[in-house]
Amino acid sequence: MEFIEGCKRRDRKVQKLLYEQYSARFFGVCKRYMKNIESAEDVLVKGFLKVFENINSFEGKGNFEGWMQRIFINECLMELRKKQDFTIYLESSNIQPQRDASALENLYEQDVLKLLNFLPTGCRTVFNLYVIEGYKHSEIAKQLNISEGTSKSQLNLAKEKLKVLLNEYGITQNKSS
């Protein structure tokens, strides 16, 4: 791929093109993990720096975008680990979201991402890794230095809290789910 070879040569124009091509996508990844835009922006920049610094380690095996995405997810997790000890279960607090007067008619991806911000950090992180990124509980446990049981309970708690939030917005789920 042209991006890879250009970045290996440390060509600033190619690095800029890579950033322009992928920044929106990976900013979305960062926003799913970080509670605020400023933190997501910081992690985005750190992630691209890591991509540029480690481009020589990409051997062309597998998908380049997938390789980059793993870097961004790891950067998000490193940032969260600085602020949160995932080995301690502190996620039992009740959530009371502010209800928007104009109740949601349809639930779109953007709305789900907003609802994720109401989840405590541990729940949100496990939910992202398991449901969106497709990690297994064993991988999540290793990444966050928690037990598989804690990963599973955080996922269940996230699902329960999301159900509460969906009910708050008048969105009911089908009995089959």
Side-chain angles (χ1 to χ4, degrees), residues 2-16:
E2 186 179 314
F3 282 137
I4 298 167
E5 292 307 314
C7 287
K8 284 182 178 182
R9 293 189 311 271
R10 305 230 183 256
D11 183 328
R12 296 283 185 214
K13 289 179 184 175
V14 175
Q15 289 175 334
K16 182 179 184 225

Side-chain angles (χ1 to χ4, degrees), residues 31-114:
K31 285 193 313 186
R32 280 200 320 264
Y33 288 90
M34 310 313 293
K35 277 247 184 195
N36 61 56
I37 298 296
E38 294 80 17
S39 295
E41 289 170 344
D42 288 345
V43 173
L44 180 73
V45 170
K46 289 176 187 176
F48 271 106
L49 289 174
K50 185 88 50 132
V51 166
F52 298 143
E53 290 170 3
N54 295 298
I55 193 75
N56 288 320
S57 70
F58 180 72
E59 299 170 348
K61 298 174 185 172
N63 182 311
F64 181 60
E65 288 180 39
W67 178 81
M68 288 193 307
Q69 181 159 334
R70 206 158 200 49
I71 288 174
F72 285 95
I73 291 169
N74 286 336
E75 283 299 308
C76 290
L77 294 177
M78 285 183 0
E79 190 65 29
L80 290 172
R81 273 190 227 111
K82 288 179 190 174
K83 300 174 182 171
Q84 169 105 17
D85 182 359
F86 287 102
T87 60
I88 301 172
Y89 183 80
L90 296 174
E91 310 298 356
S92 62
S93 64
N94 290 330
I95 50 175
Q96 298 173 354
Q98 304 255 333
R99 184 181 169 119
D100 187 352
S102 61
L104 299 174
E105 298 287 329
N106 298 308
L107 187 64
Y108 296 103
E109 180 181 354
Q110 209 55 2
D111 299 318
V112 172
L113 294 177
K114 287 178 186 172

Side-chain angles (χ1 to χ4, degrees), residues 122-136:
C123 293
R124 186 179 70 252
T125 303
V126 171
F127 183 88
N128 279 321
L129 289 170
Y130 187 84
V131 174
I132 298 173
E133 309 298 347
Y135 282 61
K136 296 177 179 155

Side-chain angles (χ1 to χ4, degrees), residues 125-168:
T125 303
V126 171
F127 183 88
N128 279 321
L129 289 170
Y130 187 84
V131 174
I132 298 173
E133 309 298 347
Y135 282 61
K136 296 177 179 155
H137 285 294
S138 59
E139 296 170 312
I140 295 168
K142 187 181 243 182
Q143 284 279 348
L144 301 181
N145 195 28
I146 59 175
S147 71
E148 284 185 50
T150 299
S151 177
K152 290 175 183 177
S153 68
Q154 290 288 296
L155 177 63
N156 288 332
L157 186 58
K159 288 178 179 179
E160 288 303 313
K161 289 185 181 230
L162 284 173
K163 285 179 190 174
V164 169
L165 288 167
L166 291 171
N167 285 334
E168 275 289 314

